[in-house]
Amino acid sequence: MQINRRTLLKSGTAALGATALPGWAHAQMTLGNVQIDTLSDGNLVLPREFQFGDLPQDEVTEILARYGITGDEMTPDCNVTLMRDGTNTVLFDVGAGPNFMPSAGTLWEALDELGVYPEDVTHVVFTHAHPDHLWGLLDDFDDLVFPEAQYMIGRAERDYWLDPATPDTIGEARLAFAAGAIRYLGAIEDRLTTFEDGEEILPGIAARATFGHTPGHMAFELRGGSESVMVLGDCIGNAHVAFERPGWVSGSDQDQEMGAATRVALLDQLANDQMPFIGFHMPYPGIGRAEKSGDSYRFVAA
């Protein structure tokens, strides 16, 4: 496997001159004849308690301090994966777009600098339907950003977000997530197809059920020749607490116990197989491996 890193920083103004765009970056790896790029969609700004509020705070503080993280604010990176095999140009998630957080939504500029036009994207595959993965689907005029693409999502994920009961049961803190999912998934209803766990959804792309963060969250194993890499989405949500204490629950997971069980099993597999992965919220560019030490793990950046 060859990994080449190229970092480009671009500054400018957002649509209508609202805010300055954060820097974006691009990293590249190859699997045989398959080219994979990770593109920065910026970062989120979240209160620490969103992920870690129900955990032993002294231990959380100690872990975060080892990674240079202090204070009550978290700023996780957002890394979108692009795969090109000579036939298909596939995006895994579409970022946050212009309407979620001002610190996110830079994917479109990153693609432009890479020389990939929206019309070039043949498929968009969603890990799940949270705003920072879905809301980049539409522009400021509610037009599809990727007009030629086919859209794909796990059946359980689609069914959950389009269930009329979901807004009444998801809880007030995530009510906007439900409303957004209805809006954005509704915009592609006539071109949205679903798949199941274990299915090869496109040549060289296999779906892997990683439920818990959302009810139908999917990861994807990308294969080129004899090599493979896992696109994780948010089933492993950070490079510190999730690795050192994988069995702890995370407040960002909708089903916290299931999310923890998924994380423990997946980290064990990734470490044992030494399979590289791309984490949506890992430190940019999100590419690395898991190294096991006792009951804990360590994120080893590529």
Side-chain angles (χ1 to χ4, degrees), residues 21-274:
L21 286 169
W24 70 270
H26 150 235
Q28 185 179 105
M29 63 190 303
T30 57
L31 300 176
N33 295 323
V34 177
Q35 180 174 323
I36 297 171
D37 297 90
T38 61
L39 299 167
S40 175
D41 194 50
N43 65 274
L44 304 183
V45 180
L46 301 170
R48 169 175 147 166
E49 66 180 11
F50 179 70
Q51 282 188 307
F52 309 127
D54 295 330
L55 300 177
Q57 292 303 300
D58 288 347
E59 293 184 62
V60 170
T61 298
E62 181 183 350
I63 292 171
L64 294 179
R66 290 201 293 273
Y67 295 83
I69 301 171
T70 60
D72 296 327
E73 190 173 87
M74 310 295 294
T75 56
D77 292 329
C78 299
N79 306 300
V80 176
T81 301
L82 175 72
M83 172 181 168
R84 289 175 284 180
D85 63 6
T87 300
N88 295 317
T89 297
V90 185
L91 267 180
F92 294 87
D93 299 326
V94 291
N99 298 314
F100 185 52
M101 286 187 181
S103 58
T106 62
L107 173 63
W108 308 342
E109 288 76 21
L111 285 168
D112 183 62
E113 288 288 346
L114 189 59
V116 176
Y117 296 99
E119 294 80 7
D120 296 337
V121 175
T122 61
H123 299 82
V124 171
V125 180
F126 294 107
T127 60
H128 64 298
H130 276 171
D132 50 328
H133 299 254
L134 175 66
W135 288 17
L137 194 66
L138 302 176
D139 63 19
D140 285 316
F141 302 96
D142 282 348
D143 293 326
L144 288 175
V145 174
F146 306 104
E148 304 301 323
Q150 300 177 45
Y151 296 88
M152 310 177 77
I153 194 169
R155 181 189 57 78
E157 185 75 358
R158 182 207 61 183
D159 290 353
Y160 172 76
W161 291 107
L162 297 184
D163 184 341
T166 294
D168 297 325
T169 58
I170 197 172
E172 185 176 354
R174 288 185 170 89
L175 188 58
F177 291 15
I182 292 169
R183 174 191 173 196
Y184 288 92
L185 291 177
I188 54 173
E189 186 175 8
D190 61 342
R191 59 172 80 188
L192 181 65
T193 59
T194 62
F195 52 82
E196 304 289 346
D197 176 32
E199 188 174 335
E200 185 176 42
I201 63 172
L202 288 167
I205 304 175
R208 166 75 181 273
T210 45
F211 300 164
H213 183 69
T214 62
H217 188 288
M218 288 282 185
F220 302 94
E221 183 175 347
L222 314 186
R223 182 165 290 279
S226 61
E227 299 175 322
S228 61
V229 62
M230 185 84 74
V231 175
L232 296 180
D234 284 6
C235 54
I236 304 175
N238 60 71
H240 33 74
V241 175
F243 280 75
E244 293 204 22
R245 299 290 189 273
W248 280 0
V249 299
S250 171
S252 64
D253 292 339
Q254 290 183 222
D255 186 326
Q256 296 184 8
E257 296 298 332
M258 182 180 290
T262 293
R263 191 161 47 250
V264 168
L266 187 56
L267 277 169
D268 185 63
Q269 178 203 344
L270 292 170
N272 286 336
D273 295 347
Q274 279 298 285

